[in-house]
Structure formats: structure tokens, C-alpha cells
Amino acid sequence: MELAYIPSPSTGVIDLGPIPLRGYAFCIIIGVFVAVWFGNKRWVARGGRAGTVADIAVWAVPFGLVGGRLYHVITDYQLYFSEGRNWVDAFKIWQGGLGIWGAIALGAVGAWIGCRRRGIPLPAWADALAPGIALAQACGRWGNWFNQELYGKPTDLPWALKISEGPNRLAGTYHPTFLYESLWCVGVALLVIWADRRFKLGHGRAFALYVAAYCAGRGWIEYMRVDEAHHVLGLRLNVWTALIVFVLAVVYIVVSAKVRPGREEVVEPGAAEESAAEAADDASEGEDGAKKADAVEAEDAKAADSEAGTDTEADAPDKADTGGDAPGDEPKASEKLTKKDTAEPAKNG
């Protein structure tokens, strides 16, 4: 009895007038923006210029899309080149089908070209972008939900994914492996962020940790899937790929830590000098502003003093007028003496 389940969308396309918005493509685009945005924040924090991550992503993303599609088509060639199939469908990327292994491999080639043009080390750029890539995968996996693909074995768990009848699939409830991998990728991103802060990972070790952690989860999630796949010695091809890549990533972490311990001091030549110059300019502008404020205050004080002096001078004549003899006042004693002295000689003579 189905008590609860995760519903699948009835369609993977929303028509915005004449423009079809495909859920799979939308999730991929959102993932790319998240990776570039978060990678840029980490790159700037490590001493790089803002915008460098996006400039290199212009090379890495197209290469990654081509590599992911090539890996899918090569490993699942029967879906496009067997009898009754149309090989043109191999170019319909919006219908789903991107292999992360090919996307990372060829995307790294594009990133190497971009880094070489900018004169920065690829490992440092990859370290900054590592958790962002994991978050991009977490977003991109929801594209499988829109296409009702890459689900696991049948289950009646409350979080089972309900799949409708369609080409190459039977209606029922299955393990939502897309959701398992999406949540696992979020955990991988958090792990890389924590480890990078705790151990100051550098020289590509943060990226290698992302690869190893992702492979560890992809192995058991891939084992749960029931979609058609090639098997080698009883295991799905992608399980073997995850095992091999996991070992290579761990070996790289160990060897790199011994050969090149610590973290790069300079990740982008000239970026630190530009930051220092901008800081100096900001400080200079602050000092100029303070001087201008002081000058304005001095002018205001001078103007206030001038007004006070003018008022004092205006009061002085009033005081002088008040001190003079008023009409009808009696003469002073000195004036009386003078008159008396003048009168006596005239009387005696």
C-alpha cells in the first residue's frame, strides 16, 4: 500500500509562448550559475580577482558539456546506434544523458586552456571551484526528476519516487536515486568547505577531496540503479569508474601533500598588488574627506567669530552715547571750581 511517495512531473517541458523551457536544461543552467558564483567568492577570498572564475568557466563549461555528452553516448551507444535507433538523437542533449566523468575530464581541458591564458595555476582554480561543482551536480540531478530517469530499484518507502508508464520504463514506485545523489553532493560540498578551512588544502587537494567523496557516494548509488547499463565482472561500468577514480584521487591527495605541502601563497599574479592599491586609494580618499570636513568646520568657526566681533563693535557706540551729559544735568564739581577761580580775580581787580 502506497502511503506516501514523491510525485514525478507530468511533463519535463514548460512552453513560454514559442520558447520551450526544458526542466533538464534549466537545472543544468542553475547548477552552472551556482558553481561560478560560489567559486568566485572562494577565489577572491584566496587572493584572486573577481571575475576570473567566470572568464575561465567560459572555456570549461562548453568543454564539459561536450565531454559529458560524449561519455554518455560512448558508454550507452546502443541507445543511438543499434538497430531501430536514430543516431541524430545523440545530439539531443536536452533529453538527458550527461556523464559526469566525461564532463569533469574534458571540462578540465577547457579550464586548463583558460587558466593558461590568464597565467594562473589550474590546481588553485580547481580548489576554489570544487564545492561549487558539487553544488552544481546537486542542482543538475533534479533534471533527471523532470525526465523520469535514473531511478533505483522498486520500493514502498514513504519517499519512493512514483514513475509513470513510458518508453523503456514501467509505472511504479522506485528509489529516488537522483535525490540520494543530490543530497550526497550537498554533503560533499560541505565536507570540502570544512576540510579546506581546517587543513588549508592547496595545490589541487580540495578538488581531489571532492572527487574522492563524490566517487564514494556514486558507487553505492549507482549500485541501486536499474536503468540499462554495461556490466563488467558483475558490476555496472560506472561503479568500476567510481572505484578507479576514487583510488586515483586518494593517491593524489597523499602524494601531493608530501611533494607540495601547504597552500599557494599567490593564486593570481598582480591581484594582491591591485587589492593593496585599491585599499590605499580608499584610505587616501578617506583622508581627503576628513581634511575637507576639518576645513569646513574651521570656516564655520571663523565665520561665527567674525559675526561675534561685528556684534561687539555695534554695541560700543551705544555705550559711549549713554556716558555723555544729558540736557539739564548739573555741572560737575571740577567745572564749578573753574568758574569760581575765574570770577575771583575779576572781583579783586
Side-chain angles (χ1 to χ4, degrees):
M1 180 178 179
E2 298 175 357
L3 298 178
Y5 57 83
I6 300 174
S8 291
S10 58
T11 178
V13 183
I14 300 175
D15 293 320
L16 301 177
I19 302 175
L21 177 61
R22 302 184 182 276
Y24 186 86
F26 180 73
C27 293
I28 296 296
I29 293 172
I30 291 297
V32 171
F33 274 103
V34 169
V36 172
W37 169 76
F38 194 60
N40 181 72
K41 290 177 66 68
R42 285 173 51 82
W43 181 253
V44 172
R46 294 192 62 177
R49 294 187 182 93
T52 297
V53 169
D55 292 342
I56 297 175
V58 171
W59 290 89
V61 172
F63 274 74
L65 291 174
V66 172
R69 188 60 175 177
L70 283 175
Y71 181 89
H72 167 72
V73 172
I74 292 172
T75 56
D76 292 310
Y77 62 89
Q78 73 280 356
L79 299 176
Y80 308 100
F81 302 105
S82 60
E83 186 177 354
R85 301 285 184 171
N86 186 359
W87 62 271
V88 177
D89 292 340
F91 296 95
K92 297 179 180 179
I93 191 173
W94 57 87
Q95 294 182 352
L98 288 175
I100 185 61
W101 316 111
I104 294 297
L106 205 57
V109 175
W112 175 79
I113 295 174
C115 288
R116 186 177 178 83
R117 290 169 60 89
R118 294 294 295 263
I120 64 177
L122 174 61
W125 185 84
D127 283 343
L129 204 66
I133 296 177
L135 293 176
Q137 288 178 255
C139 297
R141 274 305 173 198
W142 284 87
N144 303 132
W145 177 63
F146 281 100
N147 288 350
Q148 296 194 46
E149 60 186 4
L150 305 187
Y151 45 84
K153 300 174 182 179
T155 183
D156 57 356
L157 292 171
W159 57 84
L161 176 66
K162 189 174 182 63
I163 297 295
S164 61
E165 188 77 24
N168 302 319
R169 66 173 186 254
L170 298 175
T173 54
Y174 301 86
H175 277 283
T177 51
F178 84 90
L179 178 60
Y180 297 160
E181 186 169 336
S182 179
L183 295 176
W184 183 268
C185 288
V186 173
V188 170
L190 295 176
L191 172 64
V192 174
I193 293 171
W194 170 82
D196 193 26
R197 291 177 178 175
R198 174 67 176 80
F199 303 106
K200 303 297 182 183
L201 301 177
H203 302 286
R205 288 188 289 277
F207 183 81
L209 176 61
Y210 144 71
V211 172
Y214 171 75
C215 291
R218 180 61 185 269
W220 66 267
I221 294 173
E222 184 74 22
Y223 187 76
M224 297 178 64
R225 284 167 50 173
V226 294
D227 54 298
E228 186 178 357
H230 294 287
H231 287 72
V232 178
L233 300 178
L235 293 177
R236 293 167 66 96
L237 176 60
N238 282 333
V239 175
W240 283 108
T241 304
L243 289 172
I244 295 172
V245 176
F246 172 81
V247 172
L248 293 176
V250 172
V251 170
Y252 178 88
I253 292 174
V254 174
V255 174
S256 175
K258 293 181 179 180
V259 176
R260 306 185 71 181
R263 178 186 284 180
E264 300 92 340
E265 294 183 0
V266 178
V267 296
E268 188 168 6
E273 290 77 3
E274 289 182 2
S275 298
E278 291 178 359
D281 291 341
D282 293 340
S284 177
E285 291 178 0
E287 292 178 358
D288 292 342
K291 290 180 179 178
K292 290 180 180 179
D294 292 342
V296 171
E297 291 180 0
E299 290 292 336
D300 292 342
K302 184 177 180 181
D305 293 342
S306 176
E307 291 178 359
T310 303
D311 294 340
T312 302
E313 293 176 359
D315 292 342
D318 294 339
K319 294 180 180 178
D321 293 341
T322 303
D325 294 336
D329 289 347
E330 294 183 358
K332 295 180 181 179
S334 58
E335 293 179 353
K336 291 179 178 180
L337 290 174
T338 304
K339 291 179 179 180
K340 182 179 181 180
D341 293 340
T342 305
E344 286 181 354
K347 184 179 179 181
N348 296 329

